[in-house]
Amino acid sequence: MPEPTAPCTGLLLTGGGARAAYQVGVLRAIGRLRREAGDTALPSPYQVIVGTSAGGILAAALASSADDIDKALGRLSVVWEQMHADRVYRTDSFGVVRTGARWLTMMSMGWALARMRRLKPRSLLDNSPLHGLLSEVIKLDRIPRLMAEGHLQALAVSASSYTSGQHVTFYDSAQPVAPWERSNRLAVPGAIAQAHLLASAAIPFIFPAVDLPLGRGSEWFGDGSMRQAAPVSPAVHLGADRILVIGAGRMHEPPGSRAAVPQGYPSVAQIAGHALSSIFLDALAVDVERLQRINRTLSLVPPEQRTGTGLRPIDVLLISPSERLDDLAAKHIEALPLSIRALLKAIGVSGASSRVGASGAALASYLLFEADYTRELMALGERDTLARRGDVQRFFGWPVTDSAD
């Protein structure tokens, strides 16, 4: 158990489909720095773990092995190093036609609408294989015992309701935490199930929504990054004093930088990629900046006067990709199965080898569950973290050493 005066450390993992491999790389590098610092008294440095979308799946995997976080990261690393798209969604021709082709036909051919109402395609891809992968990697039934033994303080996973429009944080905690509610946002206590993870990671249009119980009924939920105005908020409500935030996309572009894109009217893939980037990145950047402003304001207020405000300073460390993941994805589109490439090509996705240049790579970057791409993302996560060795060491209170070789 942590010392009573030790700060409670929260870990926030954001969304991004296949981009989540970057987060595994960051966590591996932090594990390395932790071992170098000799901070091994506790099996995990994270007491509160919060995740959204693919980050929710990683959060649950880490929480379910909070008694040995290094072992958990080892297992996750093997999964991502050997990743193939067919472990996440169906790539066989029949499965792709059954979902993607029907969905595209419904969207593009008005005369088929009446027929499609009977067929009711729900998403571009069928993610039924993901169910088996989650059962293999995540043992949610271990969480109550880990909380009782003091290895974990809280786990939270967020999803967005298509039914009511609310952003909902589902959370489980070792000690009772009163549910909170804000405008279009609410928190619901209870055990986290696999259905919560599938709902949180249901990228809009790409993966099917999931029916979850809420109140006296149920609602259809999709990716938790939608309508997520305050991603850091659940970790604060659940007691974190300092929060490590790992993004899955570049937060800010250098001044004057501009990605090279094909000219002409944007394809469906380009528009979809832009929309997904806005969903997954914008709210996180804004929320971290907001928290930093609050910290600066609180630093000007005498400690005795803070008591009545209900506010407390929260130390935040944000680590996000130093490179555009769209550009990395463009190099690996050809690694996708032929059936998926054909489906994505129909909406404007082309690889770097195309004569017109890469197009729709942002969309592909969320769906490229292929080992060549995920390994490159993990390596980038490790490099970015070791490049900020001093920041990480100061955040955790470890001795600051020279930069890595």
Side-chain angles (χ1 to χ4, degrees), residues 61-360:
L62 295 173
S64 67
S65 294
D67 54 342
D68 193 341
I69 204 74
D70 291 332
K71 186 176 180 180
L73 283 171
R75 287 196 299 264
L76 285 172
S77 296
V78 171
V79 169
W80 284 97
E81 286 171 347
Q82 301 176 357
M83 183 62 74
H84 294 290
D86 59 9
R87 302 205 70 189
V88 179
Y89 50 82
R90 290 187 62 175
T91 63
D92 60 289
S93 298
F94 178 77
V96 172
V97 169
R98 189 167 176 265
T99 54
R102 285 183 180 180
W103 189 84
L104 289 177
T105 301
M106 184 187 72
M107 295 295 291
S108 61
M109 303 176 69
W111 59 267
L113 283 177
R115 183 182 177 207
M116 288 303 166
R117 287 195 186 98
R118 293 195 299 273
L119 297 176
K120 294 182 179 180
R122 295 187 170 187
S123 60
L124 186 66
L125 297 172
D126 175 358
N127 67 343
S128 54
L130 181 58
H131 298 224
L133 180 60
L134 295 185
S135 298
E136 174 187 329
V137 175
I138 305 173
K139 307 301 179 184
L140 292 169
D141 58 346
R142 301 188 73 238
I143 289 179
R145 178 172 64 82
L146 294 175
M147 287 185 174
E149 294 174 353
H151 297 299
L152 180 69
Q153 182 169 313
L155 167 67
V157 176
S158 296
S160 295
S161 172
Y162 291 120
T163 306
S164 65
Q166 294 189 103
H167 178 83
V168 182
T169 296
F170 300 93
Y171 69 96
D172 193 4
S173 57
Q175 301 298 325
V177 175
W180 59 93
E181 185 170 355
R182 302 291 184 269
S183 176
N184 292 319
R185 291 188 285 137
L186 64 93
V188 177
I192 303 298
Q194 187 181 105
H196 295 104
L197 309 182
L198 291 167
S200 183
I203 300 175
F205 300 112
I206 306 298
F207 297 139
V210 178
D211 191 24
L212 295 177
L214 188 67
R216 296 182 178 179
S218 64
E219 298 185 11
W220 289 97
F221 283 85
D223 199 293
S225 295
M226 296 184 291
R227 306 205 70 176
Q228 188 175 38
V232 181
S233 174
V236 176
H237 281 287
L238 292 170
D241 300 307
R242 60 186 183 189
I243 305 171
L244 171 65
V245 181
I246 308 178
R250 195 165 180 170
M251 294 292 106
H252 303 287
E253 294 297 331
S257 67
R258 183 175 183 274
V261 296
Q263 298 301 308
Y265 193 83
S267 67
V268 171
Q270 284 177 269
I271 295 171
H274 177 75
L276 290 179
S277 295
S278 298
I279 290 171
F280 287 117
L281 302 181
D282 290 355
L284 178 62
V286 170
D287 200 33
V288 169
E289 290 175 358
R290 181 191 300 121
L291 190 55
Q292 290 170 339
R293 287 198 302 272
I294 293 173
N295 284 341
R296 287 194 293 270
T297 301
L298 288 175
S299 69
L300 303 176
V301 179
E304 62 274 11
Q305 294 182 14
R306 294 180 192 167
T307 307
T309 66
L311 299 173
R312 68 184 193 278
I314 304 292
D315 189 12
V316 176
L317 175 62
L318 170 62
I319 299 178
S320 61
S322 60
E323 300 179 22
R324 288 173 52 86
L325 302 193
D326 306 11
D327 297 338
L328 297 183
K331 300 187 300 182
H332 296 289
I333 290 175
E334 296 302 313
L336 284 166
L338 179 60
S339 57
I340 300 299
R341 295 204 310 271
L343 179 65
L344 295 180
K345 185 176 180 180
I347 57 175
V349 175
S350 62
S353 60
S354 170
R355 63 182 177 82
V356 297
S359 175

Side-chain angles (χ1 to χ4, degrees), residues 39-58:
D39 183 18
T40 56
L42 297 175
S44 171
Y46 314 109
Q47 290 79 54
V48 173
I49 305 180
V50 177
T52 303
S53 191
I57 292 175
L58 290 182

Side-chain angles (χ1 to χ4, degrees), residues 30 144 149 363:
I30 290 175
E149 294 174 353
L363 175 60

